[in-house]
Amino acid sequence: MVKKNKSSLRLKLSLFVIILFFAVSILSPLLPIHDPYRIDLESLKKPPDIQHPFGTDNKGRDMFARVVHGGKISIGVAIIAAFVSGMIGFIVGVTSGYFGGRFDAVMMSIVDFVLSFPSLLFAVAISVILPPGIYTVMIALSAVGWTSFARLIRSHVLTIKTMPFIDAAKAIGCGRLRILLLHIAPLCIPISLVMMGIKLGGFILTEATLSFLGLGAQPPVPTWGSMISANRAYVLAAPWMVIFPGLAISITAFCFNMAGESLKTRYEFDKNSRV
Amino acid sequence: MKALPGDPVLNLIGERASPETIENIRKEIGADKGLAAQYMGYLGLLLRGNLGRSYYTNRDVLTDITLKFPNTLGLALAAMFIAVPAGILLGFMAAKRRGFIDKLIDTITISGLSVPVFWSAIIIMLIFSLKLRLFPPSGTGDIRFLILPAFVLSIPALASLARVTKTVIKDILTLPYIATAKAKGLSSLRVDIIHVFKNAIIPIVTIIGLDFGSYLNGAVVTETIFGWDGIGRFTMEGIIKRDYPVIMGCIIAGTVIFVIINLITDVIYHYLDPRIRLHGEEK
């Protein structure tokens, strides 16, 4: 299934940038940068210079520090949401693929139900019910995201189920649960991990959009999306307040998508199953 | 919906209102009843084809949605008008050419999928309306108001369409009948149009239909930023003001539209592919 190709350089490069961004944002409290919450009324809306490489915002806070700190939430939420979606999708996909029948039918109609909503509207609907904050964003992202995992893993299980070694396992008297847990589930782990990588770019963007809509982490906590939303009004006077957080989102999402694309070609995802 | 923070009544009349006023308004919008009663009340309204009234304007939500829908549809169609030809062309070029052009188009399309719509909207507005003053920054109206939001909305759709087109056409190009057509001595333009494109159009149309959801998603943000008076901005205003009938109405309307578009796509798909049609008739 694994096919080597030349895309591994792109993969490595994207992974390098992602890891760099994430490491810097996680280690941000230890780095010698400004305090992202410190309000400095002496230097409002200063254009980028050596002291403030990304300029300052309308409260005199250092934009570079805010962008770096914002990455923690923006990337972290997306990764956790991808992981949770993957877990839910994995459990649903494996069980409904293996047991089939009525259980499968019910589970797949739930998947179809969720997919019949435009995804952002569905996430918005969930975020509106719960109090705004990062957990709400995680729940909203996972509530939409698990469906594509479930579908993919289910079809994977259906293929595995017909393989001779499953018959062999049955023949030596393995129980259904044993086959499910020890023979089928482990074979679905790699494909789930690859899928998480592929979906992460999308999760980053949706997280940013929900934050932009004011449904995510609340001020003064910086996230890339909420910074753009808050600084929008000053775009003409101080464009750097909007440009840099947006660049951070775009570059991160681009690297995730690039890495996902390489993974897709590498693991030869079925082109007909829209993932 | 009642569980959420922010009280619509307090939002509506401010915090200094007298307790009696608050109580009266609560009664009027039915917030004094229990959660289950509110829910059943809403379901009852829904069954009668009524989406309730906005807490703020007291206007009928369904009427507002029908008034704003043509604007959103116009915007979506304008965006499709940009995205469909450009996306197919880009995908086609990427599939036919190897090497540099293919890689360049790949990078462009992945970027298109990676840049958040709300950011590109702000940046494009900054450049074209505020700096260059070519287009009005916001509002609803003639084509000058339409161009920027339609362009922004078309970016992600264009990118995903180009990617799908590329995959589909690459697959078709490897099939034996293309080699046959070339061997017959047909001009390459003829092969491209009659043999490649005609077969590619089926999956492409499906994707255009399925992606319609992404137009609806993008419309929430794009319409808000460009002040386009459609369903997307209506949803956003509802969220900000915690105007639940509006939020619910918009989400339901958006979903219904999405499902109808998918249905239409299924029907078109059926007509475009003779194999599916024949299969259906045999039954």
Side-chain angles (χ1 to χ4, degrees), chain B residues 78 150 164 167 244 250 255:
Chain B
V164 173
T167 321
Y244 307 131
C250 288
T255 310

Side-chain angles (χ1 to χ4, degrees), chain A residues 115-120 124-125 128-129 132 205 209 212-213 232 235-236 242-243 246 250 253-254 257-258 261 274, chain B residues 4-5 107 110-111 113-116 118-119 122-123 126 130 163 167 171 207 210 217 221 236 239 251 255 258:
Chain A
L115 286 176
S116 71
F117 286 88
S119 57
L120 184 70
V124 165
V128 166
I129 301 170
L205 282 186
T209 310
F212 176 80
L213 295 177
R232 217 178 101 195
V235 68
L236 188 59
V242 170
I243 290 175
S250 306
F254 181 80
N257 283 338
M258 209 50 156
E261 214 42 55
R274 267 168 57 84
Chain B
L4 59 165
T107 314
I110 296 184
S111 314
L113 288 175
S114 309
V115 175
F118 56 88
W119 186 65
I122 296 173
I123 299 298
L126 173 70
L130 301 177
R163 299 200 69 75
T167 321
D171 277 356
I207 298 305
L210 284 174
N217 286 343
V221 174
M236 187 63 199
I239 294 172
I251 290 173
T255 310
F258 188 56

Side-chain angles (χ1 to χ4, degrees), chain B residues 34-244:
Chain B
L35 197 59
Q38 284 186 39
Y39 180 63
M40 291 313 289
Y42 190 77
L43 281 188
L45 276 181
L46 212 63
L47 278 178
R48 275 172 272 145
N50 189 335
L51 294 173
R53 286 176 176 280
S54 159
Y55 291 166
Y56 284 81
T57 57
N58 200 29
R59 288 165 60 90
D60 187 53
V61 173
L62 188 63
T63 316
D64 270 1
I65 288 179
T66 24
L67 280 178
K68 287 164 198 282
F69 178 66
N71 283 337
T72 299
L73 190 69
L75 181 63
L77 288 179
M80 279 175 92
F81 188 71
I82 301 172
V84 171
I88 293 178
L89 194 70
L90 270 186
F92 203 77
M93 274 162 60
K96 295 280 286 185
R97 303 277 169 84
R98 297 270 148 171
F100 178 70
I101 292 190
D102 182 20
K103 282 217 177 92
L104 182 73
I105 294 179
D106 257 3
T107 314
I108 293 173
T109 52
I110 296 184
S111 314
L113 288 175
S114 309
V115 175
V117 174
F118 56 88
W119 186 65
S120 51
I122 296 173
I123 299 298
I124 284 173
M125 190 163 101
L126 173 70
I127 298 172
F128 290 98
S129 318
L130 301 177
K131 293 273 186 208
L132 299 176
R133 299 190 177 277
L134 290 176
F135 298 99
S138 71
T140 319
D142 58 23
I143 189 141
R144 289 181 311 131
F145 290 93
L146 187 64
I147 290 174
L148 288 188
F151 176 68
V152 168
L153 193 53
S154 74
I155 297 173
L158 192 161
S160 74
L161 191 58
R163 299 200 69 75
V164 173
T165 309
K166 181 189 155 183
T167 321
V168 170
I169 291 194
K170 260 187 150 170
D171 277 356
I172 291 179
L173 284 176
T174 60
L175 295 177
Y177 70 81
I178 297 297
T180 316
K182 279 185 189 155
K184 279 196 300 188
L186 295 181
S187 71
S188 68
L189 190 70
R190 207 182 150 82
V191 175
D192 280 350
I193 293 175
I194 301 204
H195 294 268
V196 178
F197 195 67
K198 231 178 147 184
N199 283 294
I201 197 83
I202 300 151
I204 291 173
V205 165
T206 321
I207 298 305
I208 295 174
L210 284 174
D211 262 359
F212 204 81
S214 73
Y215 290 101
L216 291 176
N217 286 343
V220 174
V221 174
T222 322
E223 286 180 2
T224 307
I225 291 175
F226 287 103
W228 185 261
D229 193 19
I231 296 180
R233 196 174 73 148
F234 196 41
T235 315
M236 187 63 199
E237 281 170 355
I239 294 172
I240 291 169
K241 293 180 189 156
R242 304 270 174 229
D243 196 345
Y244 307 131

Side-chain angles (χ1 to χ4, degrees), chain A residues 73 76-78 80-82 84-85 133-144 203 207 210:
Chain A
I73 292 176
V77 166
I80 294 173
V84 173
S85 312
I134 53 172
Y135 296 107
T136 304
V137 175
M138 284 179 204
I139 294 171
L141 289 178
S142 317
V144 179
F203 278 106
E207 189 277 335
L210 290 177

